[in-house]
Every structure is written in C-alpha cells, then in structure tokens.
Amino acid sequence: NGKSVDIYDGNDFSSISIADTMWNELPNYIGYTHLYIEHKGFLWIKEYGKVTCVDIKRMRQVSSDEIEAHIKQADDLFTDSHHRLWLLHGDTLSCENGSEIAIRHDNGQLQDIAIEDKSAFLFYTSGIMEEYDYTTDSIISHSSPFKDHLAVDYAATSLVVNDDTTLYQIKMGNKGAILNSYNKVSHHWSTLHETHQSLHTLTLVSDTSLYITTTKGYMRIDLPSLKKTYFSSVRLPDGSSLDTGINCVCVDREGAIWLGTYGSGILYLSPLNGLFDSRHIDIELTPLLSNIFINGERYKSEVSCA
C-alpha cells in the first residue's frame, strides 16, 4: 500500500517509496496529480496544494528541507520544454536562467505554461491564455476558447502539449474534460473533444496524432483529419483483456507506446505491432542485427529481436 514511483531504465524496474511526511505546501496548485521532469534529474510531483520531489539519479525522495531550498516557498512550479524549472512567487514567474515574467492575477490563477525560445504561453484558471513576447517584454495576444459561463466548469486542471504551429490543451473540472487547440499562426481556438469523463494524459506524436487516456481506455485523434479512434480494451500477453485502469500514455523516440495503469503495471507495445487492441496479433520476430564486418573481418556475431 502507499504511493511509489516506478522507474524503468531499459532493463529493470526500480521503485521509490513516497512518504506522506515529505511534501511541501504549494498554495496555488488546485489540480490533480501532475508530474514534471527537471533537467537536473528531479521528478516533481504536484497534488492539490502540495508538492514533493524524487531525485532519480540517487533513487530517493527529496526531503522537505531540500525541496524548500529549491523552491523557496513558491506558490506554484512548472517546467518548460527544455525541462528548466519555473517558480511562481506572487506576481512573478521566474526561471533558473534569469528570465522573469509578470503575471496578471485578474486572469485567475496561473495554471500552466508553454515556453518557447522567443515567447511564452501562459494559461489561467479562467481559460484565458496570454502570449508573452520576450523581445518586447509585453503581452502580444490575449484569448480564451471559452464563453464566460463555461470557463468555471473546467477550472481545475490543465495539461498542455504543443508543436511548431499548434497548442493542445486539456481542461478539466466539475463538468468533465474538454480538449481545445490553438493555432499559433492564425490565433484561432478550436474544440476537438468534450466529455463528462476525466482525460488523464495527453501525448503528441510528431504532428500526426494525439493519444489521450480516459476513464474507459484511451483514444487516438489523427491530425489534421481529427478522426477519433477509441480503444476500450487492451489484450494482455496471457490472452486476457484489460478494460479499465489505464491512466497514462506516452510514445517513446522509437515510436513504441507505453500505457500506465493503476493496478496492472506498465504495458509496452513495440512499434512493429501496430496499436493495442482486443484482437489477436501474431508477429514474426525479425533480426535487427546479424553481423558486423570491419575491414573484411567479422567483429561481432549477435542476433537481436524486437
């Protein structure tokens, strides 16, 4: 029982226990569990009103005193696409590289960020998003995908991913969840999906598709056709199926899909297999490496299969 972080290093799993006593207050965070990887090897875990940290290199939970030394009584924290830590203190959002952004609290609480080389996108509980220009130190765009009466229904949690042209944001609250997209060129918002279920995680695969986990499995949205495919059941290696409990999805650099579950561990699908589904898949293993010859002499003789 209790919480832990399981880490897979490519060969083996290790587990780090998470103690209830080693959390620090994070007053501005009002959402569900949110994980952030920092480039220094820290995994930050935010839950409603509190935060803890795992030192992945040392395989241990960081003490409350060490966390305090890092975040200095921050109201909230985030990481950007370069995995740099950003801390919110009052009306100032600051980065370890010295960058600072003034936050306007009349938009609600700052809820999420997406940082690029020349601009930052700031997402608030009200649904408002501001684009901040580093070169002019000013807000260059101010918009929201919501009518005023809808914003409060999705005020609890924000998840954002982006590519060169588009931002994708899940907002959750007492009405369920909604997925919106924002075109950074046309400055136009679109609603892609709305549901009374929770949407747990959001993963962008290049610019071709989005994977989203739900309370009833997971779904894929093809881009730009916006065709949705639902996967409510996953076939396990022993022939049984898993119908519930999938809470996160991620796609690695080789195109393999990883599904995290509440009680059934982590599921891995090789890119050679196609997609997880409830049908039987019979795959012929193919040698990836047979022999290496250097100057006409065989250097290595191995067979690796995936």
Side-chain angles (χ1 to χ4, degrees), residues 3-7 13-17 59:
K3 295 183 179 180
S4 64
V5 172
D6 297 322
I7 298 175
F13 281 97
S14 301
S15 183
I16 304 172
S17 296
M59 296 296 292

Side-chain angles (χ1 to χ4, degrees), residues 160-230:
V160 175
V161 298
N162 69 325
D163 60 21
D164 291 340
T165 62
T166 310
L167 287 156
Y168 300 93
Q169 183 190 31
I170 286 176
K171 289 272 286 176
M172 285 188 285
N174 55 33
K175 192 175 180 180
I178 190 169
L179 170 65
N180 297 311
S181 68
Y182 176 77
N183 188 298
K184 291 183 278 188
V185 178
S186 66
H187 306 290
H188 176 71
W189 284 98
S190 300
T191 297
L192 306 185
H193 187 67
E194 193 171 1
T195 176
H196 293 295
Q197 305 176 40
S198 293
L199 299 179
H200 298 303
T201 52
L202 173 66
T203 297
L204 178 64
V205 184
S206 300
D207 57 353
T208 60
S209 56
L210 289 165
Y211 285 86
I212 304 167
T213 50
T214 76
T215 54
K216 296 182 179 180
Y218 74 104
M219 63 183 293
R220 184 184 74 241
I221 301 179
D222 290 316
L223 305 172
S225 70
L226 301 183
K227 177 184 177 182
K228 300 172 186 176
T229 306
Y230 298 88

Side-chain angles (χ1 to χ4, degrees), residues 287-304:
L288 300 182
L289 176 62
S290 180
N291 293 289
I292 297 176
F293 289 84
I294 297 177
N295 296 327
E297 295 184 4
R298 187 166 61 183
Y299 172 72
K300 189 175 186 180
S301 179
E302 293 183 357
V303 177
S304 299

Side-chain angles (χ1 to χ4, degrees), residues 268 270 272 284-290 302-306:
Y268 170 82
S270 164
L272 299 177
E284 181 180 352
L285 299 180
T286 305
L288 300 182
L289 176 62
S290 180
E302 293 183 357
V303 177
S304 299
C305 298

Side-chain angles (χ1 to χ4, degrees), residues 4-288:
S4 64
V5 172
D6 297 322
I7 298 175
Y8 180 63
D9 64 6
N11 292 302
D12 300 301
F13 281 97
S14 301
S15 183
I16 304 172
S17 296
I18 303 299
D20 292 337
T21 57
M22 296 170 64
W23 291 75
N24 291 53
E25 291 187 359
L26 202 63
N28 270 38
Y29 187 63
I30 60 172
Y32 307 119
T33 302
H34 202 151
L35 308 181
Y36 297 90
I37 290 286
E38 188 185 352
H39 67 90
K40 296 176 182 178
F42 295 121
L43 171 66
W44 293 90
I45 306 171
K46 298 197 316 190
E47 293 189 355
Y48 192 102
K50 62 182 182 179
V51 63
T52 191
C53 182
V54 171
D55 186 334
I56 297 175
K57 293 179 180 178
R58 298 182 181 180
M59 296 296 292
R60 65 178 180 87
Q61 187 179 7
V62 175
S63 71
S64 296
D65 289 341
E66 291 176 280
I67 292 174
E68 182 55 42
H70 277 83
I71 67 175
K72 300 177 178 63
Q73 295 184 319
D75 298 316
D76 207 343
L77 64 83
F78 311 89
T79 57
D80 60 24
S81 59
H82 298 290
H83 302 292
R84 296 172 302 199
L85 191 65
W86 289 76
L87 301 176
L88 178 66
H89 289 93
D91 58 2
T92 302
L93 180 67
S94 59
C95 181
E96 60 192 52
N97 67 359
S99 298
E100 289 190 350
I101 301 174
I103 300 302
R104 294 171 51 186
H105 290 292
D106 54 344
N107 293 327
Q109 290 185 6
L110 181 67
Q111 193 171 46
D112 218 339
I113 65 173
I115 306 292
E116 299 183 346
D117 291 337
K118 295 183 179 179
S119 59
F121 297 88
L122 311 173
F123 299 86
Y124 294 86
T125 52
S126 64
I128 289 173
M129 185 202 71
E130 291 184 329
E131 183 178 357
Y132 174 86
D133 188 335
Y134 285 116
T135 61
T136 60
D137 191 27
S138 62
I139 300 296
I140 60 174
S141 135
H142 178 100
S143 62
S144 173
F146 299 109
K147 304 288 186 182
D148 289 342
H149 67 284
L150 285 178
V152 68
D153 293 328
Y154 301 104
T157 297
S158 168
L159 298 171
V160 175
V161 298
N162 69 325
D163 60 21
D164 291 340
T165 62
T166 310
L167 287 156
Y168 300 93
Q169 183 190 31
I170 286 176
K171 289 272 286 176
M172 285 188 285
N174 55 33
K175 192 175 180 180
I178 190 169
L179 170 65
N180 297 311
S181 68
Y182 176 77
N183 188 298
K184 291 183 278 188
V185 178
S186 66
H187 306 290
H188 176 71
W189 284 98
S190 300
T191 297
L192 306 185
H193 187 67
E194 193 171 1
T195 176
H196 293 295
Q197 305 176 40
S198 293
L199 299 179
H200 298 303
T201 52
L202 173 66
T203 297
L204 178 64
V205 184
S206 300
D207 57 353
T208 60
S209 56
L210 289 165
Y211 285 86
I212 304 167
T213 50
T214 76
T215 54
K216 296 182 179 180
Y218 74 104
M219 63 183 293
R220 184 184 74 241
I221 301 179
D222 290 316
L223 305 172
S225 70
L226 301 183
K227 177 184 177 182
K228 300 172 186 176
T229 306
Y230 298 88
F231 301 88
S232 60
S233 181
V234 174
R235 179 72 70 185
L236 300 178
D238 63 2
S240 63
S241 63
L242 178 67
D243 302 319
T244 60
I246 300 171
N247 60 7
C248 63
V249 60
C250 120
V251 179
D252 64 26
R253 287 175 293 184
E254 296 178 346
I257 299 172
W258 297 76
L259 294 175
T261 69
Y262 286 113
S264 302
I266 297 174
L267 308 178
Y268 170 82
L269 178 69
S270 164
L272 299 177
N273 292 21
L275 292 171
F276 277 117
D277 59 27
S278 58
R279 298 169 296 176
H280 176 70
I281 302 175
D282 185 14
I283 304 162
E284 181 180 352
L285 299 180
T286 305
L288 300 182

